[in-house]
Amino acid sequence: MILDQLTLENVGVFAGRHTLDLTPPSSRKPVTIVGGFNGSGKTTILEAILFALYGPLARSVSGRARGYDSYLRQLVHHRGTGPSKAAVELRFHAYREGERFDYRIHRSWQIRGKSVTEGTAAYLNNVLDRDLTDRWAEHVEAFMPRGIAELFFFDGEKIETLAELDNARSMLRTVIGALLGLDLVDRLDTDLGVIERNHRRQSAAGDKQTNLDELQQRVTQTRAVEERLHQDLAAIRVRVERAAKRRHEQQERFRVEGGELFRRRKDLDEARDKATERLKAADKQLRDLAEAAAPFLLVPDLIDEVIEQATAEVESAQMNRLAGVLRDRDRDIIERLRGMKVQAAAIDDLDKYLAEERLHRTARASATDITQLTADDLVHVRAMHEHDLPDIRQRRSALLRQRDRATADLEDNQRQLAAVPEDETVKHLQEDLDAAVADETAAQRDLDRAEADLTAARAAGASAIKAYESALKKATDAALEREDSQRVLAHSQRVRNTLTAFRTEAVKRHLRRIERLVLESLRSLLRKQDLVADLRIDPETFTVSLTRSDGTDLAPQQLSAGERQLLAVALLWGLAQASGRPLPIVIDTPLGRLDGQHREHLIRRYFPHASHQVILLSTDQEIDEAAWKELKPTTGHAYHLDHPSHSTGTSIQPGYFW
């Protein structure tokens, strides 16, 4: 597995988006170093890698007292005025059966008031994989189980803690168990313990006897109640049927004898009044039409003759006026011609022609003046004949139809009113019908109540029978259950003893190889090559013991603080090699309180060889200028975290401090 790239967006002290390229350029340069002063974000980088891989299951999350939401809130860069959201993205690749697979896991979260919304997306070979996203926690365990993650991702505080070998026992038990798959054995042992506790509780509870006589008496009582209610229900159903029949008969009698009409008398009176009003309104509008131009609808032919005569009279008057104008014009023309000394014969011929032409015109204007209508009067008469009278005819037809409908409605209403019986005739019919309806309602109410009571009684009976049968079964099986519980407890205890022995033997079988790898790692780190000749780990207590070259025991207290830290590093290094997994190593503040020579051994003998990829997060005091020169030939990438005092966030710059 190779970590290729880490991207931080508004995470911790990192404001905005920052990216670290981590892929080693070659196998001879496996180291990536990130330098920064205290508080500049080195630990944030380590936590971001773990968080990207494991999410809420990461050690940096689960190790906190407060909840997951609080951790996410704390991880967001809150300085400045930007949005309260952040993201972590990790790119890496791994090989399976010789084939390379590129992974990208992206986790983002946003704070909205009191809630925190989170999103996760997993990509395989740069393609979003929904199934991989859903199963990421399971998938990441396949190539980096959380149980051994602390062998590859740790800080200087972890080394100092393990340097006190009493603290190393718990880590050794957990990690060795995870390496050998014994966590499943521990889980089985825990589950068997839970089963034993449950069977002990059941065995204790089984000693309490149930009073079967009381339960049987309860069954008998519920059956008697159910039978009585069933009989009552049958009687009430007969009563309901009779009441319904009587109500139906009274309704039919009420209808036949005019009761429905009596109920509708008020509606009939209102309908009669409305029909009368409609009839009056139609008559009034017809009278208004008769007072206007409607009578002319009786003489349509006469109106046509009047229009024809008036047209002739108007044209005649117009022609007479035109003849007078022509006569004056002709006279002026003859006088002018004579004044111009035109030949008398020509003038006489023209005068004769003009006289004949006037005579022809006046002959067409010989109509007798009968109507005495002017041209304007003729226009009004034509408008009335062509427009007003057709509209009046349509309105008259519509009003006549309305009047016919109103008359028919009034006559029908009057017939129904004539059939309405008197108050005294209907009063006793209404009383009988009301009484029948009341009886039916009361009977139906009693029926509903009786059915509910019977249903409840049946449920109580079923519950009593179930309780009785259950008590019988418990009483019958109590002895068998106690025997089974004792048998389960005995077998479970034997299995747990076997698991304990199996765990011890499994650890013993593989522990020698782990001890050898840890011892080789320790010898390569120690300044005194002959200080430790052998190293043993107790398979039950996981206590580490050391032996000098002369065969005497070497107590951990006899080691210097720096030597104990190197022993802690050797434990981590040896266990990592024992895992057989090609995983990167990330170390935060790796050198702690080591003296100069011990630091030199780590720089020369551990960092370049700890894994195929080593990421160091260091201050300028840990890996100083001299150490940097020693480490530089095996370093593929170098960065430093710049956090100016006046700035609100850290930025990632290429190159180490020097």
Side-chain angles (χ1 to χ4, degrees):
M1 175 182 177
I2 293 288
L3 302 180
D4 294 311
Q5 191 179 80
L6 175 67
T7 300
L8 307 175
E9 186 173 353
N10 294 324
V11 177
V13 296
F14 295 94
R17 185 179 178 89
H18 303 273
T19 299
L20 282 169
D21 290 324
L22 304 173
T23 310
S26 69
S27 59
R28 290 176 297 179
K29 293 180 176 290
V31 178
T32 295
I33 185 168
V34 180
F37 298 113
N38 291 330
S40 61
K42 299 186 302 300
T43 302
T44 300
I45 293 175
L46 174 60
E47 288 190 7
I49 295 174
L50 289 170
F51 178 67
L53 289 173
Y54 302 111
L57 301 178
R59 185 183 72 244
S60 56
V61 179
S62 59
R64 295 176 181 263
R66 304 187 69 180
Y68 183 51
D69 284 0
S70 299
Y71 174 79
L72 293 180
R73 288 177 181 273
Q74 184 180 355
L75 202 57
V76 174
H77 181 84
H78 290 287
R79 300 172 186 171
T81 59
S84 298
K85 60 182 180 180
V88 172
E89 182 177 276
L90 181 66
R91 295 173 181 259
F92 62 94
H93 67 270
Y95 290 89
R96 292 202 309 266
E97 298 179 359
E99 183 179 357
R100 170 170 170 160
F101 292 88
D102 290 286
Y103 295 90
R104 174 158 56 103
I105 179 69
H106 181 91
R107 298 185 187 272
S108 60
W109 63 100
Q110 184 170 4
I111 301 173
R112 295 177 177 173
K114 295 183 179 181
S115 65
V116 179
T117 57
E118 183 186 8
T120 303
Y123 298 79
L124 178 60
N125 296 329
N126 290 322
V127 177
L128 178 62
D129 192 322
R130 297 293 183 186
D131 183 63
L132 180 63
T133 301
D134 296 337
R135 298 186 303 104
W136 179 257
E138 173 186 346
H139 191 78
V140 73
E141 287 287 331
F143 48 82
M144 182 175 283
R146 284 188 302 120
I148 64 171
E150 59 183 312
L151 299 178
F152 300 90
F153 299 90
F154 54 89
D155 53 18
E157 183 179 348
K158 177 75 172 180
I159 297 175
E160 291 186 12
T161 300
L162 295 179
E164 300 298 330
L165 294 184
D166 288 340
N167 299 328
R169 289 201 298 268
S170 176
M171 186 273 292
L172 287 172
R173 175 183 294 274
T174 301
V175 172
I176 291 176
L179 288 177
L180 302 180
L182 298 178
D183 49 345
L184 297 177
V185 175
D186 294 336
R187 193 179 312 162
L188 179 57
D189 183 71
T190 301
D191 293 342
L192 287 173
V194 173
I195 292 174
E196 289 180 13
R197 288 194 296 272
N198 291 339
H199 275 278
R200 288 192 179 97
R201 282 197 299 269
Q202 292 174 2
S203 179
D207 295 336
K208 186 177 180 180
Q209 296 296 319
T210 306
N211 192 335
L212 296 179
D213 293 338
E214 292 180 358
L215 292 175
Q216 187 175 16
Q217 185 179 3
R218 180 186 169 196
V219 171
T220 303
Q221 291 173 350
T222 55
R223 284 177 177 173
V225 171
E226 183 180 344
E227 182 64 26
R228 178 178 56 79
L229 290 175
H230 185 74
Q231 294 175 358
D232 293 344
L233 181 62
I236 293 174
R237 281 176 177 163
V238 173
R239 178 182 154 201
V240 169
E241 292 174 358
R242 291 175 178 174
K245 181 179 179 182
R246 181 167 172 262
R247 186 260 308 158
H248 179 73
E249 291 173 349
Q250 291 298 328
Q251 283 180 335
E252 187 64 19
R253 180 185 171 197
F254 189 81
R255 184 187 63 80
V256 171
E257 297 187 18
E260 293 297 331
L261 287 176
F262 181 81
R263 285 180 174 176
R264 295 177 49 230
R265 184 170 60 184
K266 183 178 179 181
D267 295 336
L268 292 173
D269 289 338
E270 292 179 356
R272 178 194 60 197
D273 294 341
K274 290 181 180 178
T276 302
E277 291 297 327
R278 285 159 48 206
L279 183 60
K280 290 180 180 179
D283 288 343
K284 182 179 182 302
Q285 294 182 54
L286 286 171
R287 285 194 296 271
D288 292 342
L289 287 178
E291 292 174 358
F296 288 108
L297 294 174
L298 301 175
V299 290
D301 296 337
L302 182 57
I303 293 176
D304 289 338
E305 293 177 2
V306 170
I307 291 175
E308 184 178 356
Q309 178 62 30
T311 301
E313 292 177 2
V314 170
E315 290 179 352
S316 178
Q318 291 175 347
M319 294 304 296
N320 287 331
R321 288 194 295 274
L322 179 60
V325 173
L326 292 176
R327 189 183 304 109
D328 293 339
R329 184 202 65 180
D330 295 345
R331 187 170 51 248
D332 289 341
I333 291 173
I334 295 299
E335 291 298 330
R336 284 180 177 274
L337 291 175
R338 286 176 179 168
M340 296 171 63
K341 297 180 180 181
V342 178
Q343 294 180 4
I347 293 174
D348 291 340
D349 289 339
L350 180 59
D351 186 30
K352 181 180 179 182
Y353 169 76
L354 292 175
E356 291 176 353
E357 198 269 338
R358 288 196 305 274
L359 181 61
H360 175 71
R361 288 180 178 274
T362 55
R364 295 169 53 191
S366 59
T368 304
D369 191 5
I370 298 175
T371 63
Q372 298 182 357
L373 295 177
T374 65
D376 292 338
D377 294 337
L378 180 59
V379 170
H380 290 305
V381 172
R382 281 179 174 167
M384 179 189 70
H385 181 61
E386 295 175 358
H387 301 289
D388 296 344
L389 289 181
D391 291 342
I392 291 173
R393 184 180 292 107
Q394 292 180 358
R395 290 182 58 197
R396 181 195 64 181
S397 299
L399 289 171
L400 288 174
R401 287 193 298 271
Q402 293 178 13
R403 190 180 188 284
D404 292 341
R405 286 195 296 269
T407 301
D409 291 344
L410 184 59
E411 291 175 353
D412 180 65
N413 186 268
Q414 288 174 345
R415 282 194 301 272
Q416 294 187 56
L417 284 172
V420 175
E422 297 298 329
D423 293 351
E424 292 300 327
T425 305
V426 176
K427 182 177 180 182
H428 71 279
L429 295 174
Q430 184 67 55
E431 291 175 352
D432 292 342
L433 178 59
D434 292 342
V437 171
D439 289 344
E440 184 185 17
T441 302
Q444 185 63 48
R445 185 167 54 250
D446 292 342
L447 178 62
D448 294 339
R449 187 182 301 111
E451 288 178 342
D453 292 343
L454 181 59
T455 300
R458 285 173 176 169
S463 177
I465 293 173
K466 183 178 180 181
Y468 179 67
E469 292 177 349
S470 176
L472 280 176
K473 186 177 184 303
K474 287 181 179 179
T476 304
D477 297 341
L480 295 176
E481 288 182 358
R482 283 194 294 272
E483 291 177 3
D484 288 343
S485 294
Q486 293 300 323
R487 188 163 51 253
V488 168
L489 289 171
H491 288 310
S492 175
Q493 189 60 49
R494 284 197 294 270
V495 170
R496 292 180 68 186
N497 293 337
T498 302
L499 289 176
T500 301
F502 170 78
R503 194 184 199 287
T504 302
E505 290 301 321
V507 171
K508 287 180 179 179
R509 177 170 298 184
H510 296 278
L511 199 56
R512 191 54 194 158
R513 174 174 172 270
I514 295 175
E515 293 169 342
R516 179 176 53 78
L517 291 172
V518 173
L519 180 60
E520 290 176 357
S521 301
L522 179 60
R523 285 177 172 175
S524 66
L525 294 176
L526 284 174
R527 179 176 68 253
K528 305 171 184 177
Q529 294 293 320
D530 57 348
L531 179 62
V532 179
D534 195 11
L535 179 146
R536 295 289 180 177
I537 300 175
D538 189 281
E540 296 182 359
T541 64
F542 293 92
T543 301
V544 177
S545 59
L546 305 175
T547 304
R548 291 189 177 91
S549 57
D550 58 3
T552 59
D553 292 338
L554 176 63
Q557 295 77 10
Q558 295 177 287
L559 298 175
S560 67
E563 289 170 342
R564 287 199 299 272
Q565 289 191 39
L566 291 182
L567 175 58
V569 173
L571 287 172
L572 294 172
W573 191 7
L575 290 169
Q577 295 177 77
S579 71
R581 297 175 182 268
L583 298 175
I585 289 180
V586 182
I587 311 176
D588 181 18
T589 58
L591 298 180
R593 292 175 294 177
L594 292 175
D595 55 33
Q597 192 168 9
H598 288 135
R599 289 189 180 194
E600 181 180 350
H601 281 213
L602 279 182
I603 292 171
R604 286 184 177 180
R605 303 178 182 181
Y606 177 57
F607 294 153
H609 309 289
S611 178
H612 60 284
Q613 182 180 26
V614 179
I615 300 173
L616 302 177
L617 308 169
S618 173
T619 66
D620 61 335
Q621 298 297 316
E622 288 186 292
I623 299 180
D624 54 18
E625 186 172 4
W628 165 240
K629 290 180 180 179
E630 185 72 32
L631 196 60
K632 189 174 181 180
T634 57
T635 299
H637 299 284
Y639 303 95
H640 71 273
L641 305 179
D642 187 18
H643 189 88
S645 58
H646 62 276
S647 174
T648 61
T650 294
S651 63
I652 301 175
Q653 303 297 330
Y656 196 54
F657 290 104
W658 298 278

